[in-house]
Amino acid sequence: MGKALDEVRIGEYTSADLDHGALSRVDLVLLRALAEQNRLHVYPLRTGWRIQNRSTVGVLVLERIRLVLVPKIAFGEDRLIEWLAYAVDTAVPHPPTPRAWQIGPLGVPDLVAAALVAECRKLLRRGLRRDYVACDSVAPVLRGRLDIAAQVGRRYGQIDRLHVRTFERDSATWENQVCASALAQAVRFAEDPAVVLDAVETLREFPAPLPAGEAIRVLRRARHNRLDMHYRSAHAWARAILDGGGITDLFTDAGLPAGSLLLNMNTLWERVVRRLAGTAAGGLTVPAANEVVRVVGDLRTHPPFPPDALVALPGLSGWLPVDAKYKAYATKSVGADDVHQLLTYAAGYGDPAQAHAVIVHPAPNGATSRTLRVIGPRGRLGTIDLVGIHTGEPPSDIAVAQMAACFTRIGMQGTA
């Protein structure tokens, strides 16, 4: 076996200094590619290198070191899997003990691999789906349809053995084969021996896997129906392993080395807030292309300014913009740039006379709320409600009720 890599642990929005010899040229190319995605940044120092982390969590295996990026702002290591499952709208696996879902020293890759194994074992207990699949075989009698091309090209017209195609009920369906592909990848992907052993034992119960590239293509175009809806959670974790950028860019896909998996916490929180807001308001509003806030007349084209969610409330004209901020606003003041951004949203998407907006941020030590009133020389400019969701506990109806209470209060102010 190769020499174990030195491990360097970095929290969110912190940095670590390394010696010159800690990073190879290949490592620097990869880190600079991640810097272009605003994930990690590497800076030269007189004594070596500084790696600055932003809101990325996971594991990055380099040639000489292993970076473990741990969550610090919002989620404890025993809660990340539950909020990740909520963000991708899939069931939370139920392991024998809660400690099975702690990140521990090995990081997010083993966490996702363990989630996949748990979901695949649920499928095995229920029984793998079987369907009619095409089977090509050589038989002494005709059963099914004769494959004339194979009969002429391989048997040269002889009829002692017949090339036939039949349709047999088998578990080698795409639903099971993509799970097998992900399990096979998890065996190489995970480092925890217990997770690897579980993945190997589970893989033995599945049919032969598809090639990884084909499995990714199948998952990207997959549409579940009532016959295979129970595969949805397993396929969500399978896609996380097989297709790093597949789940709406939750995972970073930049040609990462084996054993690496990086989770974008900003995107995770945006997904959480969209689901919370949509559940609390009974649905989200999607504006048309000509209804978004945009800048025209500049030297270059600016992208539009869409908030993370828009909701329509009774008694409130226009829409209420809701924006996700993965920041420690439970204990820190709101930045001026975020105040300006939310005022733009309030004026552009809502009634300028009411000018209301909502910031939703993580609050690891308990739910919080407060209201900012922005006042100018001619009176009130807008109101921004801050909702801190308790991320020290798993997602629940309490968080939805907290959002709903905020929406109700804003709607009542609109009718006052």
Side-chain angles (χ1 to χ4, degrees), residues 59-126:
V59 172
L60 180 61
V61 179
L62 302 175
E63 290 191 343
R64 298 168 186 169
I65 62 173
R66 186 171 183 269
L67 293 180
V68 179
L69 311 173
V70 295
K72 293 293 186 183
I73 290 180
F75 307 106
E77 295 189 354
D78 57 342
R79 295 298 179 202
L80 178 59
I81 189 69
E82 295 164 323
W83 286 94
L84 176 57
Y86 185 85
V88 300
D89 193 13
T90 190
V92 178
H94 296 284
T97 63
R99 290 187 59 82
W101 296 122
Q102 291 184 355
I103 294 179
L106 297 176
V108 172
D110 288 326
L111 195 68
V112 175
L116 171 69
V117 171
E119 288 298 330
C120 289
R121 286 186 166 179
K122 286 169 61 177
L123 295 175
L124 290 174
R125 288 193 295 270
R126 177 169 177 164

Side-chain angles (χ1 to χ4, degrees), residues 37-243:
Q37 300 179 32
N38 206 25
R39 299 290 181 262
L40 295 170
H41 294 272
V42 58
Y43 305 102
L45 301 175
R46 183 175 58 84
T47 57
W49 303 97
R50 172 168 295 167
I51 296 180
Q52 176 75 45
N53 184 21
R54 294 181 64 81
S55 58
T56 300
V57 169
V59 172
L60 180 61
V61 179
L62 302 175
E63 290 191 343
R64 298 168 186 169
I65 62 173
R66 186 171 183 269
L67 293 180
V68 179
L69 311 173
V70 295
K72 293 293 186 183
I73 290 180
F75 307 106
E77 295 189 354
D78 57 342
R79 295 298 179 202
L80 178 59
I81 189 69
E82 295 164 323
W83 286 94
L84 176 57
Y86 185 85
V88 300
D89 193 13
T90 190
V92 178
H94 296 284
T97 63
R99 290 187 59 82
W101 296 122
Q102 291 184 355
I103 294 179
L106 297 176
V108 172
D110 288 326
L111 195 68
V112 175
L116 171 69
V117 171
E119 288 298 330
C120 289
R121 286 186 166 179
K122 286 169 61 177
L123 295 175
L124 290 174
R125 288 193 295 270
R126 177 169 177 164
L128 296 182
R129 181 171 183 263
R130 301 170 69 86
D131 201 353
Y132 287 100
V133 296
C135 299
D136 294 318
S137 60
V138 179
V141 296
L142 181 62
R143 179 175 174 267
R145 188 177 63 185
L146 180 65
D147 188 341
I148 297 177
Q151 190 70 31
V152 173
R154 299 178 187 176
R155 303 294 300 172
Y156 305 105
Q158 300 179 55
I159 58 173
D160 57 326
R161 305 286 289 177
L162 303 177
H163 285 264
V164 297
R165 166 164 290 192
T166 59
F167 288 86
E168 308 284 351
R169 280 184 62 84
D170 192 32
S171 61
T173 63
W174 72 268
E175 295 96 338
N176 297 320
Q177 288 178 310
V178 296
C179 289
S181 301
L183 286 168
Q185 181 71 8
V187 171
R188 302 185 292 271
F189 186 93
E191 295 199 11
D192 186 339
V195 175
V196 174
L197 179 60
D198 289 345
V200 169
E201 292 178 347
T202 306
L203 178 59
R204 292 191 183 122
E205 305 298 324
F206 277 78
L210 295 173
E214 184 179 350
I216 291 172
R217 289 191 293 272
V218 169
L219 282 171
R220 285 176 177 174
R221 63 174 183 263
R223 295 294 182 270
H224 296 90
N225 54 43
R226 61 182 180 83
L227 297 177
D228 60 5
M229 188 59 69
H230 56 290
Y231 278 81
R232 187 172 176 274
S233 295
H235 288 169
W237 298 120
R239 192 170 179 187
I241 288 179
L242 292 170
D243 187 10

Side-chain angles (χ1 to χ4, degrees), residues 332-343:
K332 295 183 179 179
S333 300
V334 179
D337 53 342
D338 287 335
V339 172
H340 297 160
Q341 181 185 24
L342 269 292
L343 286 179

